[in-house]
Amino acid sequence: MPKFQLALIQLRVDGGEKAANLQRAEERIAEAAQHGAQVVLLPEALTAGWTWPGSAELADAIPGGQSCEQLAACARKHGVYVCAGLVECAGDRVYNAAVLIDPAGQIILHHRKINELEIGHPYYALGDRLQVARTPLGTFGLMICADGFAQGQVIGRSLAYMGADVILSPCAWAVPADYDPVAKPYGQLWRDNYGPVCRDFKIWIAGCSNVGPLMAGPWAGRKCIGSSLVVGPNGEQVLQGPFGETAEEILYVDVTPVPRPAQGDGWSGHVP
């Protein structure tokens, strides 16, 4: 499998500002593609902001909704894979969802967050399935934020058993306003949960968080602080982004998937 360049976009996400957030995402995707990135990873719930009280009004369908259509057009235009966290409406339900879009603009993975924090339950229904997608760059799995620390790392491990070489995870990592990153450097929770899965299965996991203050919802007053993380097949940190509510930045890392034995019939194809 070839080496590819992954871009993690620590995007500023403003609660409730769907159009502005999508425009900002499109601009950063274009910049990452110009730099040579082949896969672009964006944060969780980037259209509305995580647990934004008006999320239901800003949610749209996957596939076919405005958010998906804009990002698919952007993936096509720049010839890159785009992974993004979106707020999805499906009938009378709203999901904290994510998609992986291929360079032709097709959705090849669609995930609904399973291990949502309790404070997120009033906003989002829970997902009930996992999938992986085979591509020329390797086999990708998709999870969202707290899915990564489900008990026993069951979600990450299940994706690895299904054949994932690389797991992409849109995130929204938030801390109290008075959090001191010098006294307690951020990220140990994620290293502790990404690391064992990567080491045991010889895979990569990348988590990309947004930046900016949370202005409403159950965590109003907290701030999202980036610190996006990539862990490699030896279970060690390869890259960590800067910390801070203003740390909007594109991070680049070269990823080389490790060939692994086939996992039998555990692979599930892409979403129609």
Side-chain angles (χ1 to χ4, degrees):
M1 288 177 288
K3 177 173 70 176
F4 65 87
Q5 186 178 81
L6 169 66
L8 296 87
I9 300 180
Q10 288 197 176
L11 189 75
R12 179 182 172 90
V13 173
D14 293 322
E17 299 294 330
K18 179 178 178 179
N21 292 333
L22 282 169
Q23 180 178 349
R24 196 177 295 122
E26 287 181 301
E27 292 169 355
R28 302 297 183 271
I29 292 168
E31 181 180 346
Q34 187 173 21
H35 188 275
Q38 294 154 280
V39 181
V40 177
L41 176 58
L42 291 151
E44 177 179 11
L46 72 85
T47 44
W50 184 67
T51 63
W52 181 256
S55 290
E57 288 70 40
L58 297 173
D60 45 19
I62 298 176
Q66 174 196 349
S67 305
C68 274
E69 291 299 305
Q70 280 190 238
L71 292 174
C74 196
R76 264 194 314 272
K77 179 179 179 180
H78 299 291
V80 295
Y81 290 86
V82 173
C83 179
L86 304 174
V87 182
E88 176 193 5
C89 66
D92 61 353
R93 294 190 172 190
V94 174
Y95 292 95
N96 184 349
V99 294
L100 178 61
I101 302 168
D102 73 11
Q106 299 298 310
I107 296 173
I108 59 172
L109 280 178
H110 173 197
H111 175 65
R112 293 166 172 168
K113 190 174 181 182
I114 295 170
N115 189 42
E116 183 61 78
L117 299 187
E118 186 175 351
I119 59 172
H121 290 182
Y123 300 90
Y124 312 114
L126 301 182
D128 61 5
R129 65 200 66 191
L130 295 171
Q131 305 142 14
V132 298
R134 287 175 174 161
T135 80
L137 300 181
T139 300
F140 287 93
L142 191 52
M143 63 185 181
I144 301 172
C145 203
D147 283 341
F149 62 67
Q151 186 172 7
Q153 301 109 30
V154 63
I155 293 174
R157 290 180 182 277
S158 294
L159 290 168
Y161 273 121
M162 293 166 71
D165 304 305
V166 180
I167 297 175
L168 302 175
S169 184
C171 299
W173 294 341
V175 298
D178 62 354
Y179 187 93
D180 182 354
V182 175
K184 186 179 180 182
Y186 188 83
Q188 194 58 46
L189 170 67
W190 306 105
R191 286 187 289 272
D192 286 346
N193 284 279
Y194 290 1
V197 181
C198 291
R199 184 175 57 250
D200 290 349
F201 292 90
K202 307 304 178 191
I203 67 170
W204 294 75
I205 299 180
C208 181
S209 176
N210 65 307
V211 302
L214 294 173
M215 304 300 292
W219 272 2
R222 291 194 177 210
K223 54 189 180 183
C224 291
I225 42 70
S227 299
S228 301
L229 183 69
V230 178
V231 175
N234 62 359
E236 299 297 325
Q237 175 182 309
V238 174
L239 173 149
Q240 184 169 29
F243 174 100
E245 62 181 312
T246 62
E248 189 171 15
E249 188 169 324
I250 304 178
L251 312 165
Y252 298 97
V253 62
D254 289 333
V255 173
T256 305
V258 177
R260 296 194 294 134
Q263 297 295 326
D265 296 330
W267 177 73
S268 171
H270 67 75
V271 178

